[in-house]
């Protein structure tokens, strides 16, 4: 074990022999972290994935350097279909321990499989599209999108749950139950899945009719040692009486048909003909209104298509931000500061998750100083060699990030590059900045001369 204060190797001692730091609390925290890790490992082995996520997060709260817990959390996320969260955990794990870390192998396998990354991107886009349809109450379209999501990523539990919820709202209880059972096969003790399944079972129980008791229409009585069972409405009759009843029934039926049913059928036929004429007239009258309503629907659908195009553009920019962040990290790991800085410049932080923003902030803090120095060195070299457009491109990036870089040297040489490139108007603001912020210097006097000459 390494001392948290001085970094010395202390073994299992409760006090550091080098700095004397008390390690008892640190040892207890590490013990609790390992206990949560073991619990999470047991839960993951029986497919209680949501419980494993909670246990492993608790393990990392007590010891963020528990590499085994962080790597296992990434695997659990991956098994639940949350590939982006899994990548975040593995990247953090590799930042804590760059060598002899299984996270390196996981990240390499995903980076080499570009098809899998494309599938993940498509899954995220389609799932977000389904959520958008749900907010618009377009359940049919949302169900279609979720089916596509599950065809690309069958392990995405939240897609199973959302699809089951839509089936539940549509009254398709059997399909909802089947979908929730599929989600239960992935994560056995997910509380959301179990709550939805309980609601489905309750509605199925209400919907199924009560079974009729077979003995309701039967009566029984004891005759000696035998039990006689017979229908309640049983009545004995002779053959003669039965024939009389049949003849009477035929006579009555013929009379009813002749005097009641036939006239009634004729009247109903006439009434039906009149009703058809009225309905045809109503149909003709309402066709114009229907056409107007359909035109309104077309306009509404066109607006929806424009909105979806904007949403797709936002999802694309979010995906690109994560890709640039991952590219920057890989370049920094390879000691390619320039490539890392260029990739970080293209990251739009408003699309990053909380964990991803923390990674971006830490990485940008390390890379930024070296990256600006490299940009300034290249820009100054371009300026000396007469490559003024290249110099403007590099020095402008430096001034944008740090206006007073190198005591205003970057702003001064950017102005000089603009002037020598024939663009005095663009050079003036940077000359003025040197004059205002670095007075009584040779560069300020030179800048003032150029400004005066231009005026």
């Amino acid at each position: 074990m390494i001392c948290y204060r001085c970094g010395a190797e202390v073994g299992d001692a409760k006090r550091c022999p080098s700095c004397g730091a008390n390690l008892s609390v640190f040892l207890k925290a590490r013990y609790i972290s390992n206990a949560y890790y073991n619990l999470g490992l047991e839960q993951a082995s029986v497919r209680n994935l949501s419980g494993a996520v909670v246990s492993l997060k608790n393990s990392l709260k007590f010891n963020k350097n528990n590499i085994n817990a962080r790597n296992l959390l990434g695997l659990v996320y991956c098994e639940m279909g949350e590939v982006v969260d899994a990548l975040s955990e593995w990247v953090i794990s590799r930042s804590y321990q760059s060598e002899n870390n299984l996270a390196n192998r996981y990240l390499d396998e995903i980076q080499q499989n570009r098809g899998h990354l494309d599938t993940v991107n498509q899954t995220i886009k389609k799932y977000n599209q389904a959520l958008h349809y749900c907010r618009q109450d377009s359940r049919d379209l949302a169900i279609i999108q979720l089916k596509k999501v599950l065809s690309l990523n069958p392990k995405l539990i939240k897609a199973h749950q959302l699809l089951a919820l839509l089936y539940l709202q549509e009254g398709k209880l059997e399909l909802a139950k089947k979908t929730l059972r599929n989600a239960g096969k992935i994560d056995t003790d997910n509380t959301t899945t179990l709550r939805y399944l309980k609601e489905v079972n309750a509605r199925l129980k209400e919907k199924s009719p009560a079974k009729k008791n077979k003995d309701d229409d039967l009566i029984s009585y004891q005759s000696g040692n035998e039990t006689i069972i017979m229908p309640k409405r049983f009545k004995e009759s002779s053959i003669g009486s039965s024939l009389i009843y049949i003849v009477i029934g035929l006579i009555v039926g013929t009379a009813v048909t002749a005097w009641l049913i036939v006239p009634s059928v004729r009247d109903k036929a006439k009434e039906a003909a009149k009703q058809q004429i009225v309905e045809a007239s109503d149909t003709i009258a309402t066709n114009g209104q229907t056409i107007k309503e359909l035109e309104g629907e077309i306009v509404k659908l066109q607006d929806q298509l424009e909105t979806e195009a904007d949403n797709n553009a936002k999802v694309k920019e979010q995906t690109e931000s994560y890709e640039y962040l991952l590219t920057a990290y890989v370049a920094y790991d390879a000691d390619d500061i320039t490539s890392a800085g260029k990739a970080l410049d293209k990251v739009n932080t408003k699309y990053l998750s909380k964990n991803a923003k923390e990674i971006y902030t830490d990485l940008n803090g390390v890379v930024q100083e070296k990256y600006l120095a490299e940009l300034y060195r290249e820009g100054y070299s371009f300026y000396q060699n007469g490559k003024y457009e290249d110099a403007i491109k590099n020095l402008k990036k430096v001034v944008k990030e740090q206006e007073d870089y190198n005591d205003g040297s970057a702003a001064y040489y950017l102005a000089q590059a603009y002037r020598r490139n024939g663009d005095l108007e663009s050079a003036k603001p940077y000359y003025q900045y040197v004059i205002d912020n670095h007075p009584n210097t040779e560069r300020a006097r030179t800048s003032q001369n150029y400004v005066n000459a231009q005026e």
Side-chain angles (χ1 to χ4, degrees):
M1 185 180 69
I2 298 176
C3 176
Y4 67 90
R5 179 181 292 177
C6 64
E9 184 68 33
V10 296
D12 293 330
K14 294 186 178 180
R15 187 172 292 277
C16 178
S18 299
C19 64
N22 187 358
L23 303 178
S24 58
V25 176
F26 182 73
L27 287 171
K28 186 175 181 180
R30 193 177 69 166
Y31 172 79
I32 295 173
S33 175
N34 291 335
Y36 273 120
Y37 166 70
N38 292 330
L39 177 60
L41 186 60
E42 292 178 2
Q43 291 170 326
S45 64
V46 295
R47 301 203 68 83
N48 181 7
L49 301 184
S50 54
V53 168
V54 174
S55 298
L56 293 172
K57 283 185 176 180
N58 287 332
S59 175
L60 294 174
K61 285 181 182 178
F62 285 95
N63 182 11
K64 68 178 182 179
N65 293 314
N66 193 336
I67 301 301
N68 291 330
R70 196 173 293 278
N71 289 341
L72 180 58
L73 180 57
L75 289 174
V76 172
Y77 276 139
C78 195
E79 185 64 19
M80 294 173 70
E82 305 287 350
V83 180
V84 175
D85 291 336
L87 287 173
S88 300
E89 295 298 333
W90 291 333
V91 169
I92 296 171
S93 174
R94 188 165 66 176
S95 67
Y96 285 137
Q97 180 179 322
S98 58
E99 297 180 358
N100 298 325
N101 192 342
L102 288 175
N104 293 326
R105 192 185 77 184
Y106 302 150
L107 290 172
D108 291 341
E109 289 178 357
I110 291 180
Q111 289 174 0
Q112 292 171 4
N113 190 354
R114 297 295 301 177
H116 182 62
L117 286 176
D118 292 339
T119 301
V120 171
N121 289 336
Q122 291 296 323
T123 301
I124 295 172
K125 291 178 181 179
K126 292 183 183 298
Y127 181 77
N128 291 336
Q129 184 66 46
L131 288 176
H132 181 69
Y133 284 143
C134 289
R135 295 188 186 101
Q136 293 183 336
D137 202 25
S138 300
R139 297 174 188 171
D140 293 338
L141 296 176
I143 289 172
I144 292 172
Q145 287 295 328
L146 289 172
K147 286 181 178 179
K148 292 179 181 179
V149 169
L150 293 175
S151 66
L152 295 173
N153 188 0
K155 295 182 179 180
L156 190 57
I157 293 177
K158 59 185 182 183
H160 283 286
Q161 293 170 345
L162 182 56
L163 180 59
L165 189 59
L166 290 172
Y167 280 145
L168 187 61
Q169 291 178 337
E170 292 290 326
K172 301 176 181 178
L173 301 181
E174 293 296 337
L175 288 176
K177 188 173 184 179
K178 181 179 179 181
T179 304
L180 291 172
R181 284 180 175 175
N182 291 334
K185 292 177 182 178
I186 302 171
D187 186 4
T188 57
D189 291 334
N190 189 288
T191 54
T192 302
T193 302
L194 295 176
R195 187 170 71 251
Y196 290 173
L197 189 59
K198 182 179 179 181
E199 178 65 21
V200 170
N201 288 332
R203 293 196 184 183
L204 283 172
K205 188 175 181 181
E206 293 175 359
K207 188 176 180 180
S208 60
K211 293 183 179 179
K212 185 178 179 181
N213 192 347
K214 294 182 180 179
D215 297 334
D216 288 347
D217 296 332
L218 300 177
I219 59 174
S220 62
Y221 61 91
Q222 198 74 20
S223 177
N225 294 326
E226 296 180 353
T227 300
I228 307 300
I229 300 175
M230 60 183 294
K232 288 182 179 179
R233 297 178 179 85
F234 177 77
K235 183 178 180 180
E236 294 182 355
S237 62
S238 63
I239 297 175
S241 61
S242 298
L243 290 174
I244 293 172
Y245 292 149
I246 293 172
V247 172
I248 294 173
L250 290 173
I251 295 171
V252 172
T254 303
V256 171
T257 303
W259 296 98
L260 297 178
I261 297 178
V262 172
S264 176
V265 169
R266 289 174 180 172
D267 293 339
K268 286 183 178 179
K270 292 179 181 179
E271 186 66 26
K274 291 180 181 179
Q275 184 66 28
Q276 288 178 357
I277 294 172
V278 173
E279 290 177 356
S281 300
D282 292 341
T283 301
I284 294 171
T286 56
N287 275 341
Q289 183 64 29
T290 302
I291 292 172
K292 291 182 180 179
E293 291 177 356
L294 290 175
E295 290 176 349
E297 288 295 327
I298 291 172
V299 174
K300 183 178 179 181
L301 289 174
Q302 288 176 345
D303 295 339
Q304 289 181 0
L305 287 174
E306 293 177 359
T307 303
E308 296 308 323
D310 294 339
N311 291 335
N312 290 336
K314 291 180 181 178
V315 172
K316 182 180 179 182
E317 190 171 354
Q318 182 180 17
T319 304
E320 290 176 349
S321 295
Y322 277 100
E323 290 178 351
Y324 286 133
L325 180 59
L326 187 59
T327 301
Y329 192 88
V330 172
Y332 171 74
D333 195 43
D335 203 23
D336 187 357
I337 301 300
T338 301
S339 298
K342 290 179 179 179
L344 286 174
D345 285 342
K346 297 177 181 179
V347 175
N348 192 339
T349 56
K350 72 179 183 179
Y351 293 119
L352 299 180
S353 64
K354 184 179 179 181
N355 291 334
K357 283 182 181 179
E358 292 177 357
I359 297 171
Y360 171 83
T361 302
D362 295 340
L363 187 60
N364 192 49
V366 176
V367 171
Q368 191 67 13
E369 184 177 354
K370 295 181 180 179
Y371 178 52
L372 290 179
E374 184 66 20
L375 283 177
Y376 177 76
R377 185 190 64 76
E378 288 183 355
Y380 183 70
S381 177
F382 287 140
Y383 171 76
Q384 287 185 320
N385 293 323
K387 299 179 179 179
Y388 300 120
E389 291 184 357
D390 294 332
I392 290 170
K393 184 178 179 181
N394 279 31
L395 293 173
K396 195 173 182 180
K397 290 181 180 179
V398 175
V399 173
K400 181 180 179 182
E401 293 295 329
Q402 190 173 333
E403 193 172 20
D404 200 39
Y405 187 82
N406 198 10
D407 294 332
S409 297
Y412 175 76
Y413 285 114
L414 177 57
Q416 289 285 74
Y418 270 125
R419 182 182 64 82
R420 294 195 177 188
N421 201 40
D423 190 358
L424 294 175
E425 191 66 28
S426 298
K428 185 177 178 180
Y430 299 103
Y431 279 137
Q432 192 64 46
Y433 173 81
V434 175
I435 294 169
D436 294 339
N437 293 276
H438 298 281
N440 301 323
T441 63
E442 184 63 28
R443 290 174 181 169
R445 287 190 291 271
T446 303
S447 299
Q448 187 66 61
N449 290 336
Y450 287 128
V451 171
N452 293 337
Q454 183 180 4
E455 293 177 350

